[in-house]
Amino acid sequence: MINLPEIHDERGLLLRMSGNDQSAFKALYDKYHHALYRKTYFILKSAGETEDIIQEVFITLWEKRKDIDAEKPLGPWLFTVTFNRTVNHLKKSLREKSRLQVALLLSDNESGVHLEEARLQLLEAAISQLSPQKKKVFQLCKLEGKTYEETSLLMGISKYTVKEYLSEVMASLREYARKHPVYDTSLTLIAFLYFIH
């Protein structure tokens, strides 16, 4: 059984999960499921397809539990893997509908593993540039799907400050991504919608 303080000890949960603790895995699932689902549904507009992708991502997390670095936040890894699966799903769907659409919308010459690593590194590097307070706001609002009010209560700051911080964080991340392009240009819009929405 996981109590409330333990839910916020992500490093502890990751270490426990790496030792096959299923309750720690469940706590991480509960922590991130809503935000991952919301962002993926925003792109796919299909509850069934979205849930399938989220389930695949968490199966991957469990399978790779011993390889996950407990010293790094889990959110960027989860969101990057989910984003890549969403893009691959879109490619497959479009390929089935029309090869011409695929050629116009998504490039087929990506190296999946290297691109995934580059995306994750970009996101982690961009987040590392933020102040501790802004990192926390980003983690709670964008990676955990908390509301401004919930974040305000957890951090002991006003909702207005949360909103201002988040606005500054989004501008900072967009600027960092603009200066350090990793994405194929055909994926830029999807990436922007996924990580910023």
Side-chain angles (χ1 to χ4, degrees), residues 4 30 42 48-49 51 66 71 73 81 87 89 95-96 110 116 124 126 128 140 143 145 150 153 172 179 185 193:
L4 191 59
D30 291 342
F42 180 75
E49 292 172 358
E51 195 58 54
K66 296 187 186 301
E71 302 304 322
V81 172
V87 168
H89 178 79
R95 191 178 293 119
E96 289 169 356
E110 304 169 39
E116 178 174 331
E124 286 179 346
S128 74
L140 292 171
L143 300 184
E150 290 169 329
L153 291 171
S172 174
K179 289 181 177 177
T185 54
L193 288 171

Side-chain angles (χ1 to χ4, degrees), residues 21-51:
D21 185 329
Q22 292 184 9
S23 65
F25 171 77
K26 174 71 165 54
L28 291 166
Y29 177 93
D30 291 342
K31 181 176 183 177
Y32 285 104
H33 179 273
H34 175 72
L36 287 169
Y37 183 94
R38 182 172 55 85
K39 288 178 180 293
T40 305
Y41 183 82
F42 180 75
I43 299 295
L44 297 181
K45 307 297 187 200
S46 165
E49 292 172 358
T50 296
E51 195 58 54

Side-chain angles (χ1 to χ4, degrees), residues 166-181:
L166 196 57
S167 177
E168 291 170 17
V169 167
M170 293 298 99
S172 174
L173 294 183
R174 283 193 291 267
E175 181 63 14
Y176 191 92
R178 188 184 68 76
K179 289 181 177 177
H180 303 82

Side-chain angles (χ1 to χ4, degrees), residues 4-197:
L4 191 59
E6 289 179 301
I7 288 175
H8 298 292
D9 175 21
E10 186 167 280
R11 180 179 177 276
L13 290 174
L14 288 169
L15 289 171
R16 287 173 57 181
M17 181 180 70
S18 71
N20 302 326
D21 185 329
Q22 292 184 9
S23 65
F25 171 77
K26 174 71 165 54
L28 291 166
Y29 177 93
D30 291 342
K31 181 176 183 177
Y32 285 104
H33 179 273
H34 175 72
L36 287 169
Y37 183 94
R38 182 172 55 85
K39 288 178 180 293
T40 305
Y41 183 82
F42 180 75
I43 299 295
L44 297 181
K45 307 297 187 200
S46 165
E49 292 172 358
T50 296
E51 195 58 54
D52 286 347
I53 286 173
I54 303 304
Q55 294 304 318
E56 287 173 13
V57 168
F58 279 102
I59 288 169
T60 301
L61 173 63
W62 179 254
E63 290 172 345
K64 293 182 179 290
R65 64 191 178 279
K66 296 187 186 301
D67 302 321
I68 298 291
D69 186 350
E71 302 304 322
K72 291 183 177 180
L74 181 62
W77 185 90
L78 279 174
F79 279 82
T80 299
V81 172
T82 307
F83 169 75
N84 288 330
R85 288 184 180 269
T86 302
V87 168
N88 289 336
H89 178 79
L90 285 173
K91 282 184 182 181
K92 183 178 178 183
S93 297
L94 290 172
R95 191 178 293 119
E96 289 169 356
K97 291 176 182 176
S98 165
R99 289 190 178 277
L100 178 59
Q101 285 178 310
V102 174
L104 292 173
L105 187 60
L106 296 171
S107 169
D108 279 333
N109 60 5
E110 304 169 39
S111 171
V113 173
H114 296 301
L115 192 57
E116 178 174 331
E117 289 174 358
R119 286 181 182 134
L120 180 55
Q121 287 169 6
L122 176 68
L123 187 60
E124 286 179 346
I127 292 170
S128 74
Q129 307 295 311
L130 303 172
S131 69
Q133 283 286 83
K134 290 178 181 177
K135 276 184 195 174
K136 188 67 175 173
V137 167
F138 180 80
Q139 170 75 21
L140 292 171
C141 290
K142 290 299 179 181
L143 300 184
E144 296 182 27
K146 304 268 189 240
T147 64
Y148 290 163
E149 186 171 357
E150 290 169 329
T151 301
S152 166
L153 291 171
L154 285 168
M155 294 184 66
I157 57 178
S158 72
K159 284 193 290 184
Y160 175 79
T161 303
V162 170
K163 187 176 180 181
E164 285 297 303
Y165 277 0
L166 196 57
S167 177
E168 291 170 17
V169 167
M170 293 298 99
S172 174
L173 294 183
R174 283 193 291 267
E175 181 63 14
Y176 191 92
R178 188 184 68 76
K179 289 181 177 177
H180 303 82
V182 169
Y183 303 102
D184 176 290
T185 54
S186 62
L187 298 180
T188 302
L189 177 60
I190 296 170
F192 178 79
L193 288 171
Y194 192 86
F195 286 115
I196 306 302
H197 174 67

